[in-house]
Amino acid sequence: MSVESHMSVESLGYLGFEIPNVAEWSTFLSDVVGLMPGAPCADGSLTFRNDEYAQRFILTKGAGDDIAFTGWEVRDAAALDAMRRKLEQAGVSTTQGSAELAANRRVEALFYFTDPDNIRTEIFWGPMISATPFHSALVTGGFVTGDGGLGHIVFGVKDWQKTFDFYTEVMGLRLSDYIKAEPVPDIKVHVTFLHANPRHHSYAFVVPPFPFPRKLQHFMVEAKDMSEVGRAYDRFRDKGTPIAMSLGHHPNDGAFSFYAKTPNGIEVEFGWGGLLVDDTTWQPRTYSQLSDWGHRPPGM
């Protein structure tokens, strides 16, 4: 088996959103979530940081009102070329990113394509490290990133098998586990969790039992200190941010977290304590509940 057959993206590097209400999102990310504003891009996009990277979240004004692209990091130029060859060999049409696009993404180089659910997906190497150290006045202990990337994302998809095959066989992610649950009577969900590095999952997906309002169901940021979750929960409520699910605990990744709604309804999970996966010993399991305590919707 060739080296390229083992090639994998290494972490979730950045997320881009096309939204009409950029100012509202900007206030939400900085004054509620606690991210640090980065320098605006040359194309006018606003950026936000949760670590030393120059940007992790990119906001562009537009009518899309959803996630616009995901960015996955590989280690170097050779790995970028290998991933592109692997995708092309799998029948995926890719496009080289221009120098202008690379400058806006603040990376050395990238290419892009669409995944099985028509999500623009970018793979890059060489992220710019900001000259300004990361600092959040609200999340003083900072966020868990490093080799684990910015956090995780969860999508609603159309075809479980196509998505699973693409993200495991082509993108190179590995199975963490499943949750097969019936959170309310007659509503069944099957969530699949995949990891690219020791973070329990960087990408998860579900074939929704009813249409999601947006392509992206939620993204997660992880604080280094458990108390930051409690402080954030109070802050979100004090700011009038709709809470989607109260404080709770997931049985599979061990995260203590809550969920709230961004200004356009995509949810953000603010958490702490996610498990790390060791591929030499990890055994995927199937869980029968989304949460073993808490994570209650409003009014419950």
Side-chain angles (χ1 to χ4, degrees):
M1 189 174 291
S2 70
V3 173
E4 285 186 18
S5 67
H6 294 289
M7 180 60 63
S8 169
V9 294
E10 297 201 342
S11 66
L12 180 61
Y14 54 74
L15 299 177
F17 298 87
E18 181 188 304
I19 46 180
N21 51 340
V22 169
E24 191 177 2
W25 263 78
S26 178
T27 299
F28 174 75
L29 291 179
S30 60
D31 296 354
V32 184
V33 180
L35 304 184
M36 179 182 182
C41 297
D43 66 1
S45 299
L46 300 183
T47 69
F48 294 84
R49 301 166 52 195
N50 67 346
D51 65 1
E52 72 274 14
Y53 279 34
Q55 57 194 36
R56 289 291 200 174
F57 298 84
I58 304 164
L59 307 182
T60 303
K61 188 174 180 63
D65 205 21
D66 207 335
I67 192 160
F69 52 85
T70 62
W72 294 87
E73 184 174 354
V74 294
R75 76 176 72 91
D76 54 28
L80 188 72
D81 290 343
M83 277 300 302
R84 189 171 184 186
R85 288 194 298 270
K86 186 180 180 186
L87 281 150
E88 294 281 354
Q89 290 166 5
V92 179
S93 177
T94 68
T95 301
Q96 180 67 35
S98 65
E100 180 183 12
L101 179 61
N104 277 316
R105 297 291 190 263
R106 296 190 168 108
V107 301
E108 288 293 330
L110 75 159
F111 67 86
Y112 58 90
F113 55 92
T114 56
D115 81 352
D117 283 274
N118 203 34
I119 303 299
R120 174 167 165 142
T121 306
E122 301 180 355
I123 299 183
F124 71 92
W125 82 275
M128 180 184 293
I129 303 303
S130 177
T132 304
F134 175 78
H135 172 72
S136 170
L138 298 178
V139 185
T140 56
F143 294 92
V144 176
T145 57
D147 291 342
L150 72 83
H152 73 238
I153 46 178
V154 179
F155 279 92
V157 306
K158 296 176 182 177
D159 187 309
W160 183 91
Q161 194 67 57
K162 283 185 179 179
T163 301
F164 183 80
D165 290 348
F166 178 79
Y167 276 93
T168 56
E169 296 178 10
V170 183
M171 295 286 276
L173 275 62
R174 283 86 67 196
L175 176 64
S176 298
D177 45 46
Y178 304 110
I179 293 180
K180 297 182 179 181
E182 190 171 348
V184 297
D186 300 322
I187 299 294
K188 296 181 180 181
V189 294
H190 174 193
V191 191
T192 302
F193 299 85
L194 305 177
H195 62 275
N197 50 62
R199 184 186 289 276
H200 176 272
H201 59 285
S202 294
Y203 180 88
F205 65 95
V206 58
V207 178
F210 47 81
F212 285 165
R214 300 289 185 274
K215 295 176 182 178
L216 180 64
Q217 195 278 325
H218 80 260
F219 64 91
M220 186 264 200
V221 292
E222 182 178 2
K224 292 182 179 179
D225 182 346
M226 183 183 73
S227 294
E228 300 284 13
V229 180
R231 284 192 283 269
Y233 188 68
D234 286 348
R235 182 171 65 251
F236 276 61
R237 296 177 67 194
D238 291 345
K239 295 285 188 178
T241 304
I243 300 298
M245 289 196 289
S246 65
L247 293 166
H249 181 266
H250 290 302
N252 62 331
D253 72 349
F256 165 58
S257 66
F258 68 92
Y259 294 74
K261 293 187 180 294
T262 67
N264 75 339
I266 293 172
E267 294 180 12
V268 54
E269 180 184 8
F270 194 107
W272 167 85
L275 294 176
L276 299 179
V277 172
D278 179 349
D279 281 314
T280 64
T281 58
W282 186 262
Q283 294 292 324
R285 298 179 178 180
T286 300
Y287 294 83
S288 62
Q289 53 188 350
L290 294 169
S291 305
D292 46 17
W293 63 265
H295 285 151
R296 296 188 177 190
M300 293 184 65

